[in-house]
Amino acid sequence: MNLQSFILGASFLFVGFTLEHLPMPELLLWFQPLWILLVITILVLNAPGLFGLWLAIPAGLMMDAEMGTLLGTHVFTFAVHIFLVQLLSRRFGVYNLVQQAALVWLLALGHQVLRHWSNQLIVEWPHPVQLWMPPLASALVWPWLYSIGQLLMRRILA
Amino acid sequence: MLSGVVTGWTFVVRSRLIITPFQVSQFQGQRTLAICLLAVAAMWVDNHYSVLQPVRYIAGYALYPAQQVALLPSTVATWMDESASSRRELLDENRQLSARNLVLELKAQRLAALESENSELRELLSASEQVNDRVLVTSLIAVDPDPYSQQVLINKGGEDGVFIGQPVLDAHGLLGQVVEVLPHSSRVMMIADSNHVVPVQVNRNGVRAIAAGTGELDRLELIYVPNTADIQVGDLLVSSGLGGRYPRGYPVAVVESVDHEAGQMFATVSARPSASLDRSRTLMLLFNQGAGQVPPPELWQDN
């Protein structure tokens, strides 16, 4: 059971990183959802016993290698995100999909701001980021992704 | 929302009768804080030292399968394209390439004569001889989505001997340098990135200048050019090799406009990069003796 959910989670992350690396047309670049953040949220909500804070370290380091950011940037933001998701897990349970999407939008926005700040703290040169669009795209994808994720986890692990 | 978070948290901590699938541990906040502090420390170390490079390398190994899968459609498309091209097309291409090869060989013959003449002149000047550069051909696999940084990904990495600071060229001139190495891919900062400068000189008369990226792919700017400097529209700028990072004599840009403004100390000179930064797919990594080296930090750092 535990091994199964671990393998399932790993394959979710694999798909997430594939989507993250997918070349996008110029027009849609600003509209790329934060796939890994969404996958982490789904894993922490659905298998809280297995996927906890520790997930921030491998996923964050891989994300740093993928994006070319300073090592640790995404470990930091993911750790905060996972902590918040664990605190809000009951709300996620009672919210409907639209309310959930709004919550995801807020969390993703927080993640973007944290990433921006933490990098500015260290590197000291202003580097504009796409602050608004990725959280919005993430919120729009959330209902579908969440339903698929939950369906798969229930079907396979039940 | 924030107050909601806080009250939710105190609620969870104080009353123990909530039925949740997962009880947030009492020390979860402290644990998060510890991880965050560690992460910030790692960021600081990564910014100042290269100790964490192996970690990035290992993360790159873990990423490799996912990146390959993401590029699968383009790989399949290339393969289909190649296997579907007809015999006639291949013959045509072959004929064209043969003709081109002939022209290039002719040029190479003249080059041999020029090289020998050049080495004779160098001997007369008792200057050191330039060695032939070894190159590694690579192709571009992705472009950085961040519109404010002009960086690309190439499909050669540490396993192929790529190193940080290595010069990258395309068929027409200097393209940039390697800034990050993963096992099977690396990140290249192009000369048009606004964080990038190249020491150049005018090919016609040897006037030295510094070409800074502007963030636009088709424009470099020469900074600190005195109003009296002999630089004209159409001048070819080649790398001067002065910084030690790029080898000497590769074309960098062609001067497009020179503006002298009264009352300004420096002339405004803009140039168009010789390399086709937005089109080239096949690039060359240069293994030059001494290329990619920077002088010791004592020479260029303040303290």
Side-chain angles (χ1 to χ4, degrees), chain A residues 92-110:
Chain A
F92 266 105
V94 293
Y95 277 179
N96 63 35
L97 280 176
V98 179
Q99 286 169 315
Q100 280 186 4
L103 201 53
V104 164
W105 178 74
L106 263 183
L107 284 172
L109 198 63

Side-chain angles (χ1 to χ4, degrees), chain B residues 2 14 23 32 44 51 95 124 126 151 155-156 167-169 182 217 226 239 261 264 294:
Chain B
L2 201 67
R14 277 195 196 142
Q23 191 79 43
T32 314
W44 186 82
V51 200
R95 213 169 289 130
L124 284 177
S126 70
Q151 297 187 353
N155 68 350
K156 291 280 190 292
V168 182
L169 307 165
L182 294 180
L217 279 180
S239 53
E261 276 173 46
Q264 294 284 326
V294 273

